[in-house]
């Protein structure tokens, strides 16, 4: 039995006709840059996430750069973030000329540790970038309190957590600016690249809109140097169709997770994802921790079960950030976890018998 880590065909097959229909509308209107489908999708996202402004852009990485530019983060500023995330979380800080400062994670949730944030604050600290890793919100109550106490901005990198909540509030709408990615493997993915900024602030909303079109307003007059970073009109049309299903997809992922918890509860050698009581996760990944990670990965691969390591090398140890002067041992939890994590299939359409097969394979591996 072959089990894919993600099967986009299963996701698209039932909705392809609706998608083609919406794409045809774009093709007949010929309004390709910020066409009506973009505004429609932005409005739908504002309703879905209960947020005042949703601003589409070209990808999740640009969304982070736009967020930092809107907050005037620049050379000489420090931005605290997690070393255990996708590269873009830290590269955006470098790209605006500021300095990334890494605060280690908590071992149970994989999310940034509020106590470590507080320890990393200096006179130069301007902002915190929080990541809701694998679809689980970080501890936003504690992080917002720290930000308030030290007058710092909070950017929520919610590329992996669309629709997840903390304390019943949608992640990405709690800090000053939240960002989303519509990369195909995210829970709401498009057929290419796409991204979005979210904010409750009218000022920041207007500024983000201006920044995504070269910082111009009115046309050909530039108050700031912005980006050329718009959400493509075709992608917006596709996303509008998919958004109708997002809620049910999240429910299906949680149901799949529940089955893993039942089937794997007696396997002492692996630790299943810990979900914070205040967090409602959407399981972009189902990531387990095990000392024999590389062996288990080989075993799963030999049975044609898709699995992946997110992420094998923490950001503070990446070659491109050597100039920051971090060394091994500076973020010990991230470093240890990077050697132990393994993400296994969890996508919405994953059949129960495949989940059973994955669980069986894991159980047999540890009983050998
Ligand atoms: C995917 C991802 C991004 C970047 O999104 P792109 O759309 O690929 O640019 C940023 N941060 C995190 C945590 C991600 O997982």
């Amino acid at each position: 039995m072959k089990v894919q880590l993600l099967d986009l065909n299963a996701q698209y097959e039932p909705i392809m006709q609706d998608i083609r229909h919406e794409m045809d509308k774009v093709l007949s209107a010929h309004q390709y840059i910020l066409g009506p489908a973009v505004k429609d999708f932005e409005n739908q996202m504002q309703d879905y996430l209960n947020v005042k402004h949703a601003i589409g852009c070209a990808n999740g990485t640009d969304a982070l750069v736009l967020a930092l530019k809107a907050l005037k983060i620049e050379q000489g500023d420090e931005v605290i973030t997690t070393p255990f995330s996708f590269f873009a979380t830290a590269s955006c800080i470098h790209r605006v000329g500021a300095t990334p400062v890494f605060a280690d994670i908590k071992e149970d949730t994989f999310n940034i540790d509020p106590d470590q944030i507080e320890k990393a604050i200096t006179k130069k600290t301007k902002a915190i970038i929080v990541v809701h890793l694998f679809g689980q919100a970080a501890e936003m109550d504690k992080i917002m309190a720290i930000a308030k106490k030290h007058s710092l901005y909070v950017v929520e990198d919610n590329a992996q957590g669309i629709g997840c909540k903390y304390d019943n509030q949608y992640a990405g709408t709690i800090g000053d600016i939240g960002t989303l990615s519509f990369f195909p493997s995210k829970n709401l993915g498009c057929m290419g690249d796409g991204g979005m900024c979210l904010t409750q602030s009218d000022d920041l909303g207007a500024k983000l809109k201006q920044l995504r079109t070269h910082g111009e307003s009115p046309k050909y007059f530039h108050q700031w140097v912005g980006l050329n970073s718009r959400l493509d009109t075709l992608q917006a049309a596709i996303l509008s169709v998919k958004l109708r299903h997002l809620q049910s997809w999240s429910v299906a992922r949680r149901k799949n997770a529940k089955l893993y918890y039942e089937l794997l509860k007696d396997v002492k050698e692996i630790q299943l994802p810990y979900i914070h009581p205040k967090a409602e996760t959407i399981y972009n990944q189902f990531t387990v921790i095990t000392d024999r990670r590389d062996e288990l990965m080989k075993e799963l691969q030999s049975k044609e079960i898709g699995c992946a390591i997110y992420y094998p090398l923490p950001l503070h140890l990446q070659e491109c950030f050597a100039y920051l002067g971090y060394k091994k041992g500076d973020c010990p939890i991230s470093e240890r976890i990077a050697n132990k994590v393994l993400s296994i299939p969890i996508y919405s359409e994953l059949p129960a018998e495949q989940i059973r097969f994955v669980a069986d394979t894991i159980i047999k591996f540890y009983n050998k």
Side-chain angles (χ1 to χ4, degrees), residues 277-297:
K278 288 186 184 172
E280 184 180 306
T281 180
I282 49 109
Y283 289 108
N284 179 242
Q285 299 296 343
F286 192 87
T287 303
V288 304
I289 304 178
T290 169
D291 287 336
R292 295 168 62 198
R293 192 268 312 276
D294 292 348
E295 283 173 79
L296 177 61
M297 185 164 70

Side-chain angles (χ1 to χ4, degrees), residues 98 105 122 131 149 187 257 266 289 302 308 364:
I105 56 168
T122 72
V131 179
K149 185 170 149 200
N187 283 28
D266 296 327
I289 304 178
S302 76
K364 281 188 189 129

Side-chain angles (χ1 to χ4, degrees), residues 114 142 213 305:
K142 289 186 188 166
T213 304
I305 295 169

Side-chain angles (χ1 to χ4, degrees), residues 27-66:
L27 298 186
S28 17
H30 301 290
Q31 292 185 51
Y32 297 117
I33 302 297
L34 296 178
V38 175
K39 188 74 230 158
D40 288 349
F41 176 62
E42 289 173 340
N43 289 337
Q44 291 158 14
M45 287 296 289
Q46 284 162 203
D47 292 344
Y48 187 83
L49 295 175
N50 198 14
V51 66
K52 233 167 148 193
H53 303 279
I55 300 103
C57 65
N59 55 65
T61 306
D62 277 5
L64 286 163
V65 174
L66 287 167

Side-chain angles (χ1 to χ4, degrees), residues 251-267 270 272-273 283 286 288 344-360 362-363:
V251 170
R253 280 172 184 261
R254 283 196 285 270
K255 196 174 152 210
N256 292 344
K258 204 168 159 232
L259 187 50
Y260 275 131
Y261 282 108
E262 277 167 35
L263 297 170
L264 293 170
K265 64 178 188 301
D266 296 327
V267 186
I270 67 168
L272 301 175
Y283 289 108
F286 192 87
V288 304
I344 58 177
I346 188 73
Y347 67 89
S348 311
E349 301 80 8
L350 183 64
E353 69 263 27
Q354 293 193 15
I355 297 175
R356 286 179 204 285
F357 177 64
V358 176
D360 261 1
I362 293 173
I363 291 166

